[in-house]
């Protein structure tokens, strides 16, 4: 699938290293929770969310109901087959804390507003061949730590308490950020480790990435 360009807003020395050496830092989801990161990067709730469903009243004798689907989905109670069940003022919730994974972030928008969201940004690199860049980056990362590319998608800006949609668990926890971050228009590549154990951010140098990037003037 063809994609529009992505943009990396960062300090000049980091973007210069990308263009000269193919230098890329691939972070981890849980590492983003650290307060030491600059504004726009640190978020203590990365990878976390809650899905909830409220039942004011439901009677199994009234026929099929989304509320009883919720009871089964959330694993709340197990009724005897054929038994009548009445539910009143029930609040169901399921917490998610997604396991650590590798993450590389860019912006989908070339604008001064987007750039202002990344603390310390003073230069911009355009990734103009997105598919080739992330295919190569996945291969290079896999040579260091076995991974599979889980997603290459835009972030969804929403509150971390999500109402159950009636069938699924909704937006992937690793793709959620609070609405206050929405001007970043962030897009994420997410890699899932193929082996268990703790992971940490990885810095790689791959000159094969350079041909997919170029320096562009700061947006006005």
């Amino acid at each position: 699938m063809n994609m529009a360009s992505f943009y990396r807003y960062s300090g000049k020395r980091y973007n210069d290293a990308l263009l000269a050496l193919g230098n890329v830092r691939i972070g981890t989801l849980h590492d983003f929770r650290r307060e030491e990161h600059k504004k726009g990067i640190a978020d203590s709730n990365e990878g976390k969310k809650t899905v909830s469903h409220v039942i004011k009243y439901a009677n199994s004798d009234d026929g099929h109901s989304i509320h009883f689907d919720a009871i089964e989905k959330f694993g709340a109670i197990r009724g005897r087959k054929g038994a009548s069940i009445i539910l009143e003022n029930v609040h169901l919730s399921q917490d998610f804390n997604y396991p650590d994974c590798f993450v590389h972030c860019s912006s989908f928008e070339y604008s001064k507003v987007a750039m202002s969201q990344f603390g310390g940004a003073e230069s911009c690199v355009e990734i103009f061949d997105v598919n080739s860049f992330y295919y190569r980056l996945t291969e290079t990362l896999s040579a260091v730590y076995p991974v599979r590319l889980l997603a290459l998608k835009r972030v969804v800006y929403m509150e971390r308490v999500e109402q159950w949609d009636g069938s699924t668990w909704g937006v992937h926890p690793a793709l959620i950020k609070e609405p206050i971050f929405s001007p970043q228009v962030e897009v994420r590549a997410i890699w899932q480790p193929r082996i268990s154990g703790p992971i940490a951010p990885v810095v790689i140098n791959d000159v094969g990435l350079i041909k997919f990037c170029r320096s562009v003037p700061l947006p006005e």
Side-chain angles (χ1 to χ4, degrees):
M1 180 175 64
N2 293 324
M3 292 188 176
S5 293
F6 293 172
Y7 299 92
R8 290 281 298 171
Y9 301 108
S10 187
K12 187 175 184 302
R13 69 188 181 102
Y14 298 115
N15 276 341
D16 285 351
L18 169 58
L19 296 174
L21 303 171
N23 179 275
V24 176
R25 183 185 189 275
I26 301 174
T28 74
L29 189 68
H30 292 184
D31 183 67
F32 288 156
R33 297 175 181 177
R34 294 193 302 112
E35 295 181 357
E36 292 86 349
H37 285 298
K38 293 180 179 179
K39 179 178 75 73
I41 298 176
D43 183 351
S44 61
N45 292 315
E46 283 282 8
K48 299 176 183 180
K49 79 167 190 174
T50 299
V51 177
S52 66
H53 181 75
V54 175
I55 304 172
K56 292 185 177 179
Y57 177 83
N59 188 332
S60 61
D61 292 338
D62 294 336
H64 180 75
S65 166
I66 187 176
H67 299 309
F68 288 96
D69 288 343
I71 287 293
E72 182 177 349
K73 183 74 171 180
F74 284 75
I77 61 173
R78 292 183 179 179
R80 191 174 55 200
K81 190 173 182 179
S84 295
I85 301 175
I86 296 177
L87 303 171
E88 288 187 273
N89 298 320
V90 176
H91 186 175
L92 305 173
S93 68
Q94 176 69 49
D95 293 328
F96 293 85
N97 184 2
Y98 195 72
D100 209 3
C101 52
F102 292 102
V103 180
H104 185 259
C105 306
S106 302
S107 178
F108 207 78
E109 188 171 286
Y110 179 62
S111 73
K112 190 173 182 179
V113 172
M115 180 176 172
S116 69
Q117 296 294 303
F118 297 90
E122 55 188 6
S123 67
C124 181
V125 165
E126 177 188 7
I127 303 172
F128 60 84
D129 188 341
V130 170
N131 290 334
S132 297
F133 180 90
Y134 282 103
Y135 180 83
R136 176 80 184 204
L137 190 57
T138 299
E139 285 192 324
T140 306
L141 176 59
S142 292
V144 178
Y145 197 103
V147 296
R148 71 179 184 91
L149 182 63
L150 183 67
L152 181 57
K153 293 184 178 181
R154 294 177 70 164
V155 164
V156 179
Y157 296 96
M158 56 182 279
E159 300 298 336
R160 292 188 182 275
V161 177
E162 183 179 2
Q163 299 304 308
W164 186 55
D165 64 12
S167 58
T168 72
W169 290 123
V171 180
H172 195 290
L175 289 171
I176 294 175
K177 292 194 76 171
E178 282 83 355
I180 191 173
F181 295 111
S182 63
Q184 294 178 350
V185 197
E186 184 182 323
V187 61
R188 287 184 169 182
I190 301 173
W191 294 273
Q192 184 176 47
R194 290 186 180 274
I195 57 179
S196 60
I199 60 174
V202 174
V203 177
I204 63 173
N205 290 298
D206 179 6
V207 294
L209 295 169
I210 299 172
K211 59 188 175 184
F212 308 124
C213 310
R214 60 188 167 214
S215 177
V216 292
L218 297 180
E220 299 180 354

